[in-house]
Amino acid sequence: MYTKPLSTQILWLTSLFALLALTGTLLVVARAVTQTDADALERQRMLVGRAIAEEVASLSQDQKSVASWDEAARRVRADDREWLHENIGLWMRDYFQHDRTIILSAKDEILVQARSDRLAGGPAEDMIAAFGPHLAALRSGATTGKQENARRGITLIDGRPAVVSAIQIVPHSARLAIRPGEEGVLLSAVFLDSAFLQRLRSAYALSDARIRLTNTARAWETALPVTGGHGAPVAYLVWDPRLPGEHLLKAILPTALFTGLVVLFVVGLYARHIYRSSAALEASEVHARHLAYHDGLTGLPNRAHLLHRLDRLLPFSGEDRAVLLFVDLDRFKEVNDTYGHQAGDEVIRQFAGRAERNLSGVDMLGRLGGDEFAVLLRGVASEEEVTAFAARILSCGFDPFLVPGGSATIGVSVGYAWLEPELSRSEVLRRADVALYAAKREGRGRFCAFSPETDAAMRTRRQLEDELRLALARGGEGLLVYYQPLLSARDGTFVGVEALVRWQHPRLGFVSPALFVPIAEESGLVSCLDQWVLVQACRDARAWPDLVLAVNVSPRSFERPGLAARIRTTLSAEGIHPRRLEVEVTESLLLAEHSRAQAELQTMRQSGIRIALDDFGTGYSSLSRLRTLKVDKVKIDRSFVMGLGETGGSTAIIDAVIDLGHALGVTVLAEGVETERQREHLRTAGCDELQGFLFSPPVPAEEISAMLEAEWEQGAA
Ligand code: C2E
Ligand code: MG
Ligand code: MG
């Protein structure tokens, strides 16, 4: 499953947090503003409503100050219009500033009419008509004897909303008796759109308060219905509510915005910092992961990567058939020894490059370490497909590799095993390893599939290894040393013996050193084995004081430092003079210049031990290198002796080695002499010493003693 990188996650989280914080702040501000506005509007409406109610109340209060008056009642009855005009009409207009004042007689005749707006307005009848319902209620109240002598409300007069009030003019004292129905009526009106508006504007700071007859308030205006007698709106008081929210907003918004921006900036800086450091961390993690899963030299996936990949593929290998191929470079160690480690690295790099180019389409090509590579192949249909692919791998090693100091020719061995769902990872690895091992053992430069047979052979090897280890741990139990005579080619006299190890195996019988010495070499047991043989041979050789004692020392014995010193110690402990010892080594050991082995050999030679070059001609070096090798003896390999007289090449090589050896002052010995013809040829060619079945196979020490005795007897006779 893909997960976003940490840095991206942090960036997202921080952005989300900043956004939430900002939105939250804005919401709080908006809520505060709208709530403040709503409260203020409600308060304004309440105040305006109360102002209208007060206007209505004060109008009737004004009327009451004159309506309950003996003199006024009498003047109404007396129809004294002038008095009424002077004392009530004008009083109401000028003192109380009523816009309209009318006094009606009991018979509803107009006795007085006073108005503040001299010009405007229709006839008094219109106003009386506007008072209609109130007047009727007053009159009927009076006739029915109900104690209501005043009526008030809001209505339209001349198309203008006005507060109106009607009150009966009645005597204050009981001295003047007025019968019901004889009362005059005082009608007063104050227009809401005149003085009232002025008062409203100044008292409540509603400078733009205005009256409209219809509710046509715009979005920014507020309208309060002014209701008449039946609760129906008569007009609307409209004003622009200067709401404090706007001020609040204006006051806090810049600060809030500024603070928000500062917070955003700081959060941004912080996020950037975290982003950068986590991105750097991720980059180094990616780098570390790459290092953990890739090989430093070639950049190819490494062993850990292969294991991971195998785990992934194994469960599906039933349907999607896959093969694991192990690839090993042949004679790589020799390249390393001959040209140095840098050249070795170069070969590895070049091989990796060739493989990458030639093996496209593979599931994985990796380097396991050293000169070992691995290839995973998926979607394989047949064995033929695998072998064709393996052949392609082999071809990657055909051309020589150009390295500093020359060109190296190596080969490639391949072993492969099929992936199967029921197999464990380590079992697949083991199988590929077994197959590779088989390819190597079958002579390298080839591929080999895992099979139960190779597996069995491998197991036998493992078992032999264990048993050999045990044998050595038990002081060489079952191991023997045989000796093969080395003879003078000139007169056939006994000059020395070569110690050759044997193993009398409890179960398998006689096991050839050709089989178990390589096992000992691979498992690291050989150094112990060589030491054991040396001790044994020294003890036996004490019986043959005139003979040279040749022992084989594996190149791997040189890997443990101090070999020369160990041999010296053994020789002195066993009482053998160093001059009697000849150490047989193979060519590969001498190839690496300035190597530790060279130094050890040098030390051995200085102490009198002689060095013999065994199996000469089979190794990597050329004839010309013989000049530079500091050895005392050359043992021409059996394969050349076998070809004597049959293949011209062998004869020529043997002659050349003998000539060169003599020119360099090196003793030349021929191995594997089996026929008189060979012996004769070698003798005439000038070979110094001979060894082979013609004279004797390797035999137990007693037989050597017996042979020596026979020789003496012969010599004595
Ligand atoms: P090598 O050192 O070249 O020994 C000579 C081998 O050739 C011996 O085989 C010997 O039996 C065989 N041989 C001698 N003459 C003839 C002949 O005329 N015809 C044929 N066909 N073979 C002949 P062996 O004893 O089986 O040893 C094989 C190899 O095992 C030796 O080759 C040597 O490399 C190694 N080896 C034996 N003993 C030791 C040991 O103690 N230490 C080490 N490191 N290697 C040993
Ligand atoms: Mg030998
Ligand atoms: Mg040999």
Side-chain angles (χ1 to χ4, degrees):
M1 192 184 71
Y2 172 76
T3 44
K4 280 194 178 129
L6 184 66
S7 55
T8 318
Q9 283 179 11
I10 287 178
L11 205 65
W12 274 108
L13 274 178
T14 327
S15 311
L16 197 71
F17 169 74
L19 207 71
L20 277 179
L22 209 66
T23 317
T25 313
L26 286 177
L27 278 179
V28 167
V29 169
R31 175 103 183 94
V33 165
T34 46
Q35 190 58 47
T36 314
D37 280 356
D39 289 351
L41 194 65
E42 191 52 39
R43 204 174 130 71
Q44 282 178 17
R45 292 169 76 93
M46 199 189 73
L47 288 175
V48 170
R50 195 183 296 161
I52 295 170
E54 272 172 11
E55 194 70 19
V56 175
S58 85
L59 184 67
S60 88
Q61 207 57 42
D62 296 349
Q63 284 183 322
K64 274 180 191 158
S65 67
V66 296
S68 178
W69 189 8
D70 289 358
E71 192 58 31
R74 191 179 315 114
R75 301 282 176 166
V76 168
R77 199 167 53 191
D79 196 16
D80 186 349
R81 298 186 184 200
E82 201 180 329
W83 188 91
L84 288 169
H85 183 70
E86 288 284 321
N87 291 285
I88 296 180
L90 295 182
W91 175 255
M92 301 306 274
R93 188 191 75 189
D94 299 335
Y95 185 74
F96 290 121
Q97 296 186 322
H98 291 179
D99 289 315
R100 299 281 168 87
T101 308
I102 291 174
I103 299 174
L104 295 177
S105 70
K107 294 188 181 87
D108 285 343
E109 291 164 329
I110 298 170
L111 302 181
V112 170
Q113 183 185 180
R115 52 202 301 170
S116 58
D117 43 345
R118 254 161 235 99
L119 301 172
E125 284 76 14
D126 284 357
M127 180 173 155
I128 295 167
F131 269 91
H134 301 293
L135 212 50
L138 265 187
R139 292 288 185 219
S140 71
T143 48
T144 54
K146 277 194 186 161
Q147 280 307 299
E148 195 180 20
N149 66 346
R151 294 287 303 215
R152 53 194 169 274
I154 295 172
T155 187
L156 284 179
I157 299 172
D158 300 340
R160 295 168 69 193
V163 176
V164 296
S165 181
I167 191 166
Q168 288 177 328
I169 301 170
V170 291
H172 181 64
S173 65
R175 274 177 286 147
L176 185 67
I178 297 278
R179 279 193 303 278
E182 286 182 350
E183 306 93 343
V185 175
L186 170 63
L187 303 175
S188 299
V190 170
F191 287 114
L192 285 177
D193 57 2
S194 58
F196 169 71
L197 266 188
Q198 287 303 330
R199 278 197 300 282
L200 201 63
R201 283 172 182 160
S202 58
Y204 299 111
L206 300 176
S207 58
D208 58 346
R210 52 207 176 267
I211 291 285
R212 273 203 208 121
L213 294 181
T214 49
N215 185 9
T216 51
R218 319 238 160 75
W220 63 88
E221 294 170 336
T222 187
L224 186 74
V226 181
T227 47
H230 303 292
V234 171
Y236 295 86
L237 235 165
V238 179
W239 70 95
D240 296 347
R242 296 256 157 66
L243 295 172
E246 201 180 323
H247 295 287
L248 189 70
L249 205 59
K250 277 183 186 157
I252 62 174
L253 201 60
T255 323
L257 275 180
F258 179 73
T259 315
L261 283 176
V262 168
V263 168
L264 267 186
F265 182 68
V266 171
V267 168
L269 276 185
Y270 182 65
R272 192 179 71 153
H273 173 71
I274 292 189
Y275 177 79
R276 283 192 175 169
S277 39
S278 63
L281 192 73
E282 271 159 27
S284 67
E285 262 177 24
V286 167
H287 185 61
R289 220 175 301 141
H290 184 86
L291 286 185
Y293 283 102
H294 289 85
D295 165 50
L297 182 64
T298 59
L300 291 176
N302 63 7
R303 177 178 286 274
H305 201 142
L306 171 75
L307 298 184
H308 186 72
R309 197 73 203 119
L310 264 182
D311 284 342
R312 287 283 185 90
L313 291 186
L314 262 173
F316 309 103
S317 55
E319 309 89 64
D320 183 14
R321 304 227 59 200
V323 182
L324 172 66
L325 300 103
F326 272 180
V327 182
D328 194 280
L329 306 188
D330 300 331
R331 308 209 293 179
F332 175 72
K333 192 176 175 313
E334 283 157 46
V335 175
N336 250 344
D337 290 344
T338 315
Y339 300 106
H341 286 279
Q342 250 181 322
D345 284 356
E346 190 52 38
V347 168
I348 295 282
R349 255 197 300 268
Q350 286 182 25
F351 178 79
R354 289 185 195 177
E356 273 187 303
R357 279 191 299 279
N358 293 353
L359 309 177
S360 56
V362 300
D363 187 73
M364 201 202 88
L365 162 69
R367 178 178 175 228
L368 303 181
D371 58 344
E372 269 189 47
F373 293 81
V375 179
L376 266 171
L377 205 58
R378 261 175 69 190
V380 195
S382 65
E383 195 80 29
E384 287 72 47
E385 215 176 297
V386 188
T387 52
F389 184 80
R392 264 164 70 196
I393 300 182
L394 296 191
S395 73
C396 295
F398 285 169
D399 294 335
F401 293 83
L402 282 177
V403 293
S407 108
T409 308
I410 58 160
V412 175
S413 297
V414 175
Y416 65 87
W418 289 89
L419 271 66
E420 287 164 31
E422 65 276 6
L423 296 182
S424 70
R425 180 179 81 184
S426 50
E427 175 59 14
V428 176
L429 291 169
R430 192 190 71 82
R431 288 185 171 193
D433 209 37
V434 165
L436 175 64
Y437 187 78
K440 290 231 161 228
R441 286 203 59 96
E442 279 173 26
R444 302 170 168 184
R446 66 193 65 213
F447 54 82
C448 198
F450 169 84
S451 70
E453 295 74 44
T454 50
D455 198 23
M458 184 77 170
R459 279 181 207 280
T460 308
R461 279 185 67 83
R462 283 274 148 72
Q463 203 177 355
L464 277 181
E465 183 189 320
D466 292 343
E467 286 163 346
L468 182 62
R469 183 172 285 115
L470 195 70
L472 285 167
R474 290 181 178 164
E477 191 184 85
L479 294 172
L480 306 163
V481 183
Y482 274 31
Y483 301 91
Q484 188 176 29
L486 314 178
L487 300 153
S488 160
R490 213 166 6 96
D491 53 16
T493 50
F494 223 137
V495 290
V497 286
E498 179 180 359
L500 294 159
V501 73
R502 298 289 177 266
W503 189 7
Q504 187 64 53
H505 191 275
R507 192 164 33 86
L508 304 170
F510 221 69
V511 181
S512 163
L515 178 69
F516 74 85
V517 168
I519 294 179
E521 286 184 323
E522 274 165 37
S523 57
L525 289 171
V526 78
S527 142
C528 198
L529 178 73
D530 284 350
Q531 174 65 19
W532 183 87
V533 172
L534 178 66
V535 171
Q536 212 55 40
C538 285
R539 285 176 191 170
D540 289 338
R542 281 199 292 245
W544 322 308
D546 300 324
L547 293 189
V548 164
L549 174 64
V551 293
N552 294 281
V553 178
S554 161
R556 295 220 47 192
S557 288
F558 283 81
E559 287 172 12
R560 226 180 97 205
L563 178 67
R566 280 200 301 281
I567 291 178
R568 279 301 309 273
T569 312
T570 308
L571 289 180
S572 59
E574 300 301 332
I576 297 289
H577 196 280
R579 274 190 215 292
R580 287 190 59 201
L581 187 70
E582 205 165 76
V583 166
E584 292 192 8
V585 295
T586 46
E587 286 170 70
S588 64
L589 187 75
L590 303 171
L591 289 173
E593 290 162 29
H594 316 297
S595 70
R596 195 167 54 212
Q598 297 275 33
E600 295 278 7
L601 288 175
Q602 187 64 21
T603 315
M604 286 182 204
R605 289 188 87 197
Q606 278 162 0
S607 66
I609 298 170
R610 278 182 300 165
I611 309 298
L613 190 52
D614 206 353
D615 306 337
F616 184 77
T618 56
Y620 203 69
S621 72
S622 61
L623 201 57
S624 61
R625 268 186 66 86
L626 198 53
R627 294 171 203 280
T628 55
L629 302 176
K630 295 192 177 69
V631 294
D632 304 283
K633 185 188 264 187
V634 171
K635 295 182 80 173
I636 300 173
D637 191 68
R638 192 163 64 88
S639 54
F640 298 101
V641 176
M642 262 163 62
L644 259 184
E646 283 161 28
T647 55
S650 294
T651 314
I653 289 172
I654 288 179
D655 291 348
V657 173
I658 292 171
D659 286 348
L660 192 64
H662 287 169
L664 296 168
V666 170
T667 310
V668 179
L669 179 146
E671 289 182 301
V673 184
E674 292 182 355
T675 63
E676 275 299 338
R677 251 184 75 196
Q678 290 167 349
R679 169 201 174 131
E680 197 44 38
H681 186 108
L682 289 160
R683 200 183 60 78
T684 42
C687 188
D688 302 301
E689 293 176 6
L690 306 172
Q691 176 183 2
F693 290 173
L694 178 65
F695 316 107
S696 167
V699 291
E702 307 81 67
E703 286 190 34
I704 294 293
S705 297
M707 276 183 217
L708 279 176
E709 248 168 67
E711 200 183 58
W712 285 331
E713 277 165 16
Q714 225 174 29

